[in-house]
Amino acid sequence: MLYISTRGQTRPHTFTEAVEAGLAPDGGLFLPENLPNLAAALPGWAGLSYSELAAEFFQHFAPEIPAEEWRQLTAEAYTRFDDPQIAPLRTLDERTRVLELWHGPTLAFKDFALQLLGLLYKRQVRLTGKKLAVLGATSGDTGSAAIHGCMGQDGIRIFILYPDGRVAPLQERQMACTGADNVFAIPVPGTFDDAQRVVKDCFGDAGFVAQVNLSAVNSINIARVLAQCVYYLWAWLRLPESERATAEFVVPTGNFGNVLAGWLAARMGMTCGGFRVATNRNDILWRFFETGEYRQGEVHPSHAPSMDIQAASNFERYLYYLLEGDQERVRSLMLRLREGHHLTLPRPPAGLRASRMDDTAIVKTIARVWNQYGYVVDPHTACAFIDLAPDRVSVILSTASPAKFPEVVAEATGSEPRHPTLEALKSRPLQRHPLDATAAAVKSFIVSQL
Ligand SMILES: *Cc1c(COP(=O)(O)O)cnc(C)c1O
């Protein structure tokens, strides 16, 4: 299995090479050259534990890592989760299931990929003897999950940029209060998209990338997308067989990484009833699904900050499939977008739709779900709770613990959710490394820390 770039100007990479590079050298994103067909194998995986399922799945994508090593990697990756099911599927009523993806160390779904990615980096450092500088931008949850995947690992330093004042205070604490000396939490002025641009600019400097052995840890790393496929398969296998073909997955969406993983799993043979992209007031994707026009607007802060994005980086992977693998066209469209143009694209294929929810509705929805089911959801998950299909099962992906967003949840339900992991952070000192939002400032900081 080899990995190609969405933009077609990169030689095929192995899984290990693609993980190490993060972004493809031509500026595109890596994708498997061909997707395996897992339809025949899937039903036989119903009896596997979560980490066994992940090991089976990854063997199709990285045959260069032996099966036994995959089993060790996935077993270790999911040890720090506080539910024996890893991703428990709750039943709220006959048609409404919730897949809880927040039982990992940072209480959001990003741990599924980043606990594993930290171990893949560690494996790489061991095999190559070369130290790694890991760089990423975050709107909140990616950064803390990446930090918790890499902290304390020998030979790895991790640098995470985030928009100053625009991540939730507890999210900042998860990044800046680890006490680990290989972790650098870097607030920059502006929005998430500004921070992301600085990261992309750093990766655009090939000399610098080689000098510090730079690796990308935002949602563009292909290992993250693949690791996220596993919980879709896991949830699908937990549904009664009669419900699998029609169940709709509903996915709170920002960078499009989570829902893309499910959509890829469906293309690999997980026959289901489709996907709904649930956005907050930053509704570029909703507008695209309504009109076919992909037009970036301003980013507005919302109650669901991890979805405050107007430049969904994984959208490029979707575009590759939408344009039937025409890499030249993907490349020219992405360049047009970067120049500030909007794109008019083919209509999405059947089985994909979108919804949006503003802040007022988020608070009302948290209250309604609490009153109706006695179940508390966080503001991101709340965005999924509208427009549920009346006639079939919805599997709602719950992307964060409500305890990460105590103010909004308390406004809706009257009581503040708490979690011991987060309580412990409140008394620890913040270690912030503020920088200007320029590649020059970030590059020289990284060099000074090696
Ligand atoms: C990252 C995140 C999202 C958005 O996921 P994408 O993969 O960027 O679409 C939604 N909810 C929470 C809690 C997140 O951390």
Side-chain angles (χ1 to χ4, degrees):
M1 165 76 74
L2 291 172
Y3 292 79
I4 55 166
S5 164
T6 47
R7 300 192 192 178
Q9 302 197 326
T10 293
R11 70 168 170 81
H13 280 48
T14 64
F15 174 80
T16 316
E17 288 171 335
V19 169
E20 181 165 7
L23 194 67
D26 62 7
L29 306 183
F30 285 110
L31 275 172
E33 201 169 28
N34 299 296
L35 295 176
N37 188 340
L38 305 177
L42 263 178
W45 292 353
L48 301 179
S49 71
Y50 190 92
S51 69
E52 289 166 346
L53 177 65
E56 280 297 326
F57 177 81
F58 268 104
Q59 282 167 50
H60 290 267
F61 291 92
E64 76 261 29
I65 300 183
E68 182 48 32
E69 200 175 347
W70 270 121
R71 282 191 284 275
Q72 287 166 5
L73 282 165
T74 58
E76 190 178 345
Y78 300 109
T79 47
R80 294 175 64 208
F81 283 60
D82 70 7
D83 188 291
Q85 292 275 307
I86 311 297
L89 185 67
R90 311 276 183 220
T91 298
L92 296 191
D93 67 25
E94 228 169 68
R95 288 190 320 273
T96 317
R97 312 287 156 82
V98 176
L99 182 66
E100 289 181 354
L101 298 175
W102 38 263
H103 291 279
T106 69
L107 318 183
F109 84 87
K110 309 230 167 44
D111 288 326
F112 279 86
L114 289 165
Q115 286 290 307
L116 183 63
L117 191 59
L119 295 175
L120 289 171
Y121 286 145
K122 185 169 137 187
R123 175 178 181 274
Q124 222 140 295
V125 171
R126 193 182 72 231
L127 291 179
T128 62
K130 279 195 297 184
K131 290 187 178 168
L132 267 182
V134 174
L135 174 64
T138 187
S139 55
D141 290 330
T142 303
S144 52
I147 283 170
H148 285 259
C150 291
M151 66 190 223
Q153 310 268 28
D154 277 348
I156 301 175
R157 282 187 176 68
I158 177 161
F159 303 85
I160 297 294
L161 272 59
Y162 58 95
D164 202 358
R166 290 199 186 213
V167 302
L170 279 172
Q171 288 180 320
E172 180 169 44
R173 292 206 151 262
Q174 287 183 305
M175 294 189 276
C177 300
T178 63
D181 61 7
N182 69 332
V183 169
F184 302 90
I186 303 173
V188 295
T191 66
F192 167 75
D193 294 336
D194 296 316
Q196 177 91 304
R197 199 169 313 119
V198 174
V199 167
K200 284 205 169 177
D201 288 346
C202 290
F203 280 97
D205 179 346
F208 175 72
V209 169
Q211 180 196 352
V212 303
N213 201 17
L214 197 66
S215 190
V217 74
N218 41 47
S219 49
I220 60 192
N221 199 299
I222 186 64
R224 290 192 56 188
V225 175
L226 294 175
Q228 291 169 183
C229 293
V230 176
Y231 52 69
Y232 285 91
L233 302 178
W234 169 261
W236 187 84
L237 289 168
R238 313 257 95 56
L239 294 174
E241 270 175 55
S242 61
E243 292 176 0
R244 290 176 184 166
T246 53
E248 182 174 53
F249 289 92
V250 188
V251 191
T253 297
N255 253 321
F256 208 72
N258 195 354
V259 68
L260 178 84
W263 192 68
L264 290 180
R267 292 178 77 97
M268 294 173 207
M270 183 193 75
T271 307
C272 69
F275 299 86
R276 175 151 56 83
V277 173
T279 75
N280 63 16
R281 60 188 292 217
N282 294 292
D283 56 4
I284 177 171
L285 291 169
W286 176 77
R287 284 182 281 121
F288 163 65
F289 282 100
E290 292 290 302
T291 65
E293 203 176 87
Y294 191 76
R295 182 188 289 272
Q296 292 179 348
E298 294 259 295
V299 180
H300 300 287
S302 81
H303 285 336
S306 296
M307 292 156 56
D308 290 348
I309 286 162
Q310 290 279 357
S313 44
N314 272 292
F315 191 72
E316 181 168 345
R317 288 190 165 111
Y318 169 71
L319 203 56
Y320 171 89
Y321 292 104
L322 192 66
L323 302 175
E324 290 163 8
D326 184 344
Q327 292 159 303
E328 195 41 54
R329 209 155 154 235
V330 174
R331 198 169 82 90
S332 70
L333 288 176
M334 291 312 296
L335 294 177
R336 276 182 63 74
L337 195 63
R338 201 184 159 102
E339 286 162 5
H341 299 284
H342 70 271
L343 307 181
T344 304
L345 297 169
R347 279 309 178 97
L352 262 180
R353 59 189 188 114
S355 62
R356 71 184 295 276
M357 192 182 277
D358 65 22
D359 277 357
T360 314
I362 286 176
V363 176
K364 281 193 187 148
T365 301
I366 297 171
R368 175 173 63 78
V369 172
W370 167 241
N371 291 327
Q372 194 171 344
Y373 302 113
Y375 186 78
V376 184
V377 294
D378 93 289
H380 302 78
T381 306
C383 294
F385 276 84
I386 66 171
D387 207 8
L388 294 177
D391 50 351
R392 54 210 174 105
V393 166
S394 293
V395 178
I396 291 171
L397 274 65
S398 179
T399 50
S401 160
K404 291 193 89 167
F405 306 93
E407 294 85 3
V408 180
V409 173
E411 187 184 334
T413 65
S415 82
E416 245 189 44
R418 286 175 191 274
H419 193 286
T421 307
L422 298 175
E423 294 307 308
L425 285 176
K426 290 181 180 166
S427 55
R428 298 173 67 165
L430 275 169
Q431 290 167 297
R432 289 161 35 105
H433 303 273
L435 293 175
D436 288 341
T438 65
V442 171
K443 287 191 278 189
S444 77
F445 181 76
I446 291 176
V447 169
S448 76
Q449 295 299 334
L450 295 181

